[in-house]
Amino acid sequence: MSARDLISGEAELDSQEDEESFDEETGEVRRKSHGVNGINRHLDDSSEEEDDDDDEEAAAAIRKDFIVEDDEEPEERERRRRERRKRRREEREEEEAGLDEEDLDLIGEANPDFERRAPSEPKLKRLKRGHKEDRDGHRPKGIDDIFDSEEEDETDFRIQRHSHRADPRNLQDEFADFIEEDFDDRDGAPDDDDADVARPTGRTYTGIKDAAGLDEAALEDMKEAFGQGDEYDWALDIQDQEDEREQRLPDSEDPEPLAKGLELKDVFEPSQLAEKFLTDEDNEIRATDVPERFQLARAPYKNLVLTTEQFKEESVWITDLIWPRRKGKDAALKEPFRRSVAKVLEFMVSDEYEVPFIFQHRKDYLIHTERTPVTPDPNNPDAPDSVLSAQRLLDQDDLWRISELDLKFRALIDKRNALSETYKKLQAVDDFRDEVFEAMLPAAATMEELQDVQDYLHFQHASRLADLVALNASSASNGTHRRPGSARALFDRIRSSNVYRLVHAFGITADAFAQNAMKEGRRQYTEDPTKYPEDLADEESIMDPPDYSSGAQCLKAAKAMFAEEIFLSPKMRKVMRSAYYQDGVIDCFRTEKGLRRIDEHHPYYNFKYLRNQQLIDFSDQPELFLRMIRAEEEGLIEIKIRMQNVESFKKRLYTEIESDNYSEIAEAWNRERREILDMALLKLDKMMARGVKENLKNECEDQIAKKCREEFSRRLDQAPYKPKGMVLGTVPRVLAISNGAGSFGRDAICWAWVEEDGRVLENGKFADLFLGDPERGQDDSADAKALARLVERRKPDVIGVSGYSADSRKLYKLLDDIIERKNLRSPTYEDEDGNDRSDKLDLVIVNDEVARLYQTSTRAAIEHPGLAPLTHYCVGLAKYLQSPIKEYAALSDDVTSISLDPAQSYVPREKILKHLQIAMVDYVNLMGVDINEALADGYTANLLSYICGLGPRKALQLMKVIRINGGNVFNRAELVGDADTQRLGAVGPRVWANCASFLYIDYDSSEPEADYLDNSRIHPEDYDLARKMASDALEMDEEDVAAEMAEHGLSAVVRKLVREDAQHKVDDLILEEYSEQLEKGNNLRKRATLETIAAEIQQPYEELRNNFTLLSSEEIFTMFTGETRESLYEGMVVPVFIKKVGEDYIEVRMDCGIEGTIPAIDISDRPDFSPRQLYQQFQTVQAKIKYINRKTLTATFVMREADIRNPVKNNFERLLGDWDDEQERADKDSMKEKNDVSGRTQRVVKHPLFKPFNSAQAQEFLGSQARGDVVIRPSSKGPDHLAVTWKVSDNVYQHIDVLELDKSNQFSAGGTLTIGGKYKYSDLDELIVNHVKAMAKKVDEMMLHEKYQNGTKAETERWLSTYTEANPKRSVYAFCIDPKHPGYFFLCFKAGQHAQLQSWPVKVIPQAFELQRNMYPDMRALCNGFKLLFTNMQGVKRR
């Protein structure tokens, strides 16, 4: 048996597809005949056969002059029913109950005339889901099912193989059909997609009679022996119905299967449904006529309804949070500001308008207007007696802030209502009142204060809450009840014991003391008992044995109880929280780990010894605190928050709790009170520090996220690159060119030509692009001439160039020279004077952040499958020039991969994404979307989810319904549906009100249904105003307007205005009078709206974004080199690679691509040595940067030892007391002593990847690098060893020990490098390429494989268990990384629901994977090898 016999990767023919054909004239499906097993047997459709039989019976009745009566005898009906069942049973026997191969073999042995079926090659067809008995009873499942693909697992489709009965003597045959090879498309093997949707075919054997060759007599004998087989027809009928229902797959267009019980969630994995927005929640969002973003944000508070008082409270609450932060605020505007906030809340909550709608169509409510009287002008009696001044109260950012605070207020009210409900139910159990709770609950303005009230309730009324739970009222607490802990139970026992009398003896309650501390109301005075604390505690009325049988125990318990009451007092927590925010300071203390890791070049060094930082200091540098948090998470520092002048604060509090009496007894009680207060403050300090740190962290994250949003908004606020002579917003034709990361002059240069509609019509490569030297008779290269011909032929509007290396700047310079020498011109256009003109062709360096993501994306492979990655990159550059916002929208959630702020990585991705989506919503609604263009162009369709009122779910629904309605929209009103024209509603009325003005329809004057206003930003609610303005501009009276509309429709007047090209006449209208009439007569404020209407009538949907933004020199420098002013600056000592050594100079290059020439005077202090005597080509040395030319990407360096020993340090500005200089000096001395004791000579190897790091420093250095990056470093094993550290994955690093042989001296690198005694290399470059990079390639192959799981081994095993529980008879396997053993992966598998979870280690070695001491060159071989290994193991077990 060959390996090909064991490996089966193809599916069988679909029997149903063979059985169907289509009538060419009618299109009806008709059945085909089959020839099975060499026997020509026709299998007709059973339903047609039954109908034919019925027709024959009716015809026979007519021929015999019989009339079929409706009241047929029951016996006759029963007989006919039995006959029909019998026919169905015979058909089922013929079609589905065929014999398997072994039965046929047995028949063949008994019947010599029987011809054995020849094996046939399996074929591929479109397959579908089979019957339940085929799925469940097809064959026993085991580890063999591992070989089913993931898509088969998710959709429960199968590829049926011919069944074989298990034979212990031939285990290999048993497993042969279950091993399927992971074919590569290049091998010409079956496509995975076809195999993934395979289904089991019906049995292709005919009935027993034809298959076995039995005659009629033999069949009659068999029937007499075994019966007719109709005894269980009733059960078969039920089974037929179930099979029919199961065989049908759910279809969104056919809800019948869903109505019968089969739903999408029964077929697809939840993750698949969520990805396609097909869950029940998604369907509910689509069906609900509320903006999608509102539904998602308000989902936790869906059932919360704010009362009128709460609504008023919200406007005040939000005003108090926003107003103090406004710069240059005028106190007189605070009340108008509050009213504006209240109106915005009304729009959001009551009218359910989103921010873009409010900002665009409710502008007048965001502005405060005030009419100021002026002194009459005697020379101008017609002058107005007052002037109207306007001040903007709220901008678009404020509206988003109000929307966010509205959600927080809802959360606040929801929790407050829950606490109030709990309190009422407690009162119902035990009639009581708690004045502290009743006073503090409505006063709580933050979630922290509400949490204080909740903690107080659970502490003060723990026993009542226990009774409430005992009465089966667990739901009454609505999530606010917690199980009391042991400490809480202890305090509850104290409260119910005699010891609590001693708590009262302290003379003041916790609430009264807190009231004194808050300076609220009348001061509460403390009363002293007549006895000493110890004496009072010894009294029998206080002691409560056995728990409290001594005075000391009673006093200790009473003090702990009183301290806990102070700690849990909501008022006292409010005092402490206020004190911390006013006087809190932050100190940084390095840990032992941080002492070693954070040196002067470490990015965390600027806060290693930071002290006494005010909380407000971080408002201007939020990234500093977030970096401190990250360093603390890494265990390098410890952040401590404390209160300044804490002793004076304590002394003030002491006076509020102490009595004013003067006696020894009073002093004794005051001493106890101070101790109690100290106990409470100790707990409060910990709590406050934790809360302040968390709040400060959230505030800093919000600030960074807002900075990212502002920067992203700047990038979105640019129209397409404007071609010469065209209006802003015109899409250019682009020729994009790039050398990628290749070396200029050696590697190929790719280019792509992209039309204005986004089609890539042409692409290619330039292998030898250069200009000749006419003076020397050197001609231009063939590629330079080809480029010129390409430009002349295609006439691009602009050439875009970029790359990801400094050599791209050289490419830009070359292209500029070619354009200049070849006189390449832009397309001809007409200037302002009407003359034809052509300018020098534009050459632009393009921001490539989107193109870098696009070039390796699945989207690029789908759109342009035949192009190379660098050509994809060029396409991305061109499309960015054509529409930046569409490219950003196409990234979807991957937009967070774009770097917008240096501190972006410290903020959770979800928070960044939320802010970036807000920016997208702002600018997509600013530019609007042509709804018909979105239906035809996927990139435009991506913008729909950001339209006001829509979202990804409603956008998909919108497009789907429009296509059902005909695939084109003629006016905005169609979107809500039209019963007369039988158009379905794509959106509901409320969503339509939100989105209507942001979806425009290009105006076509030849289309009678077209409305000019539908091509503008004017909202349909204002169409009447626009038509009135148009009629007034045309000076038409009411009769003329009525006549025009009666003849040509509602939009007739506006169409007339456009037809006569008289839009400019609306500027002559006095809009102020219009607005006053509307406000007086209709109570509508429309002054700003009228201005918008006038502007839109003249220029509908004018491009309001800025011109395309060209990159600055600083941005180009960062894009090409990856360096910033903070990471690379003058005076820095850096490693440089020597490119060339001359007699009096050295040419060097940095890793980032910056090049420079060092003259001999800056190379060495010894003029008697030439550069060639000191250095050699390809050597890596240290150099100090003297100057950086950020425009040309060059630098000047110095290599003199004196200069290198004195690098410029990046000094930080520090105020006196902000830095612990003493601790810094002590740490430096300590580290110096340790280094002196070790006495190890620092080794240096001349290689660009060598770093003087230890293992921890190497890991830290590689932390931000890409997977597969390498560091060569000294080894602790001695001078004849090197260590190579490379990044396997995030937080996984492999350290390779390299033994050096054939060393010329102690410090030189070995002539032979060996790893593990198995691998030998001649130098470090060969080792890196053939060992490390080869393993990195295998790691990439593993982690990109479909069976790889991103997660821990435990998560992978949970996934396997979940999968097998959902598919009990299936088996599954997956790979995951082994972080504890870098270079190893786990192969986890589970052979069925009840099988044990198992895992085998997979080792990555150069050029292969190692499993069970077997080597496999790629993942396909590894997977198949595992399957064969397991099969063999199973065979051994069975033997």
Side-chain angles (χ1 to χ4, degrees), residues 1286 1288 1292 1294 1339 1342 1348 1376-1387 1400-1405 1410:
W1286 69 284
V1288 181
V1292 181
Q1294 187 178 41
V1339 170
M1342 169 71 76
Y1348 180 77
C1376 65
I1377 197 166
D1378 182 357
K1380 294 183 179 179
H1381 301 91
Y1384 281 82
F1385 290 83
F1386 290 115
L1387 197 169
W1400 289 353
V1402 178
K1403 183 181 180 181
V1404 176
I1405 60 176
E1410 181 178 332

Side-chain angles (χ1 to χ4, degrees), residues 363-651:
K363 294 179 181 178
D364 297 270
Y365 296 93
L366 313 179
I367 301 171
H368 174 65
T369 58
E370 188 175 5
R371 190 170 292 279
T372 307
V374 296
T375 304
D377 185 0
N379 299 324
N380 186 9
D382 296 331
D385 56 356
S386 62
V387 293
L388 189 67
S389 60
Q391 285 184 289
R392 180 176 289 278
L393 298 174
L394 297 169
D395 57 21
Q396 199 161 8
D397 287 344
D398 292 327
L399 297 182
W400 286 111
R401 177 68 174 153
I402 292 172
S403 178
E404 179 186 2
L405 290 176
D406 173 57
L407 296 176
K408 291 184 177 180
F409 186 79
R410 287 169 179 264
L412 191 75
I413 294 299
D414 191 46
K415 185 161 187 173
R416 185 194 294 177
N417 291 346
L419 284 172
S420 179
E421 186 68 20
T422 300
Y423 180 65
K424 291 178 181 177
K425 295 199 173 184
L426 285 176
Q427 288 181 314
V429 175
D430 185 5
D431 188 15
F432 72 99
R433 283 196 63 190
D434 189 320
E435 295 181 356
V436 174
F437 180 87
E438 293 178 1
M440 295 304 296
L441 182 63
T446 64
M447 291 300 289
E448 289 177 319
E449 293 178 358
L450 267 183
Q451 186 62 45
D452 294 342
V453 175
Q454 178 176 326
D455 292 343
Y456 168 82
L457 181 69
H458 283 274
F459 171 74
Q460 202 68 26
H461 305 286
S463 60
R464 292 188 175 96
L465 282 168
D467 294 340
L468 191 63
V469 174
L471 292 173
N472 197 22
S474 58
S475 61
S477 62
N478 196 15
T480 64
H481 179 69
R482 299 178 305 186
R483 184 184 300 275
S486 58
R488 193 62 53 82
L490 171 65
F491 292 121
D492 208 34
R493 289 199 302 270
I494 295 175
R495 186 183 291 111
S496 61
S497 69
N498 295 335
V499 178
Y500 199 66
R501 298 176 184 175
L502 194 57
V503 177
H504 291 300
F506 287 109
I508 189 171
T509 64
D511 183 67
F513 159 66
Q515 182 177 327
N516 290 343
M518 291 180 69
K519 302 295 183 183
E520 282 188 355
R522 189 166 57 87
R523 176 180 170 82
Q524 304 294 315
Y525 292 95
T526 306
E527 299 295 334
D528 293 320
T530 57
K531 295 181 180 181
Y532 284 97
E534 296 81 1
D535 295 339
L536 187 60
D538 286 333
E539 292 185 358
E540 292 185 1
S541 60
I542 298 297
M543 287 190 290
D544 197 350
D547 294 334
Y548 308 104
S549 55
S550 68
Q553 287 180 325
C554 293
L555 185 59
K556 181 180 179 181
K559 289 167 66 176
M561 182 70 187
F562 194 20
E564 191 72 10
E565 288 181 341
I566 293 174
F567 168 68
L568 287 160
S569 168
K571 293 181 181 178
M572 190 60 204
R573 288 187 176 184
K574 192 171 185 178
V575 171
M576 289 294 295
R577 194 171 286 115
S578 176
Y580 257 86
Y581 280 111
Q582 290 179 6
D583 300 323
V585 293
I586 294 179
D587 298 326
C588 271
F589 296 92
R590 55 92 187 139
T591 62
E592 285 300 318
K593 182 180 178 182
L595 172 64
R596 299 186 305 271
R597 293 277 297 275
I598 306 177
D599 57 18
E600 292 185 350
H601 303 291
H602 197 283
Y604 295 160
Y605 192 79
N606 63 334
F607 53 78
K608 184 177 182 180
Y609 303 102
L610 199 63
R611 304 285 191 271
N612 301 319
Q613 295 299 295
Q614 301 279 347
L615 299 183
I616 196 172
D617 294 340
F618 295 103
S619 61
D620 296 329
Q621 43 183 354
E623 68 284 350
L624 175 60
F625 186 74
L626 294 180
R627 288 169 58 223
M628 290 164 58
I629 292 289
R630 179 65 59 84
E632 187 177 46
E633 292 172 352
E634 295 173 5
L636 302 179
I637 67 166
E638 182 182 359
I639 300 174
K640 293 185 178 180
I641 302 179
R642 59 181 174 83
M643 218 173 11
Q644 280 182 321
N645 307 317
V646 65
E647 293 302 323
S648 60
F649 178 73
K650 281 186 179 181
K651 289 179 180 179

Side-chain angles (χ1 to χ4, degrees), residues 110 157 178 184 257 281 333 412 454 494 601 682 741 787 908 984 1100 1139 1330 1345:
F157 290 170
F178 298 122
D184 193 321
E281 293 79 8
L333 293 177
L412 191 75
Q454 178 176 326
I494 295 175
H601 303 291
L682 187 63
L787 173 60
L984 301 176
K1139 293 176 55 182
N1330 294 333
H1345 194 263

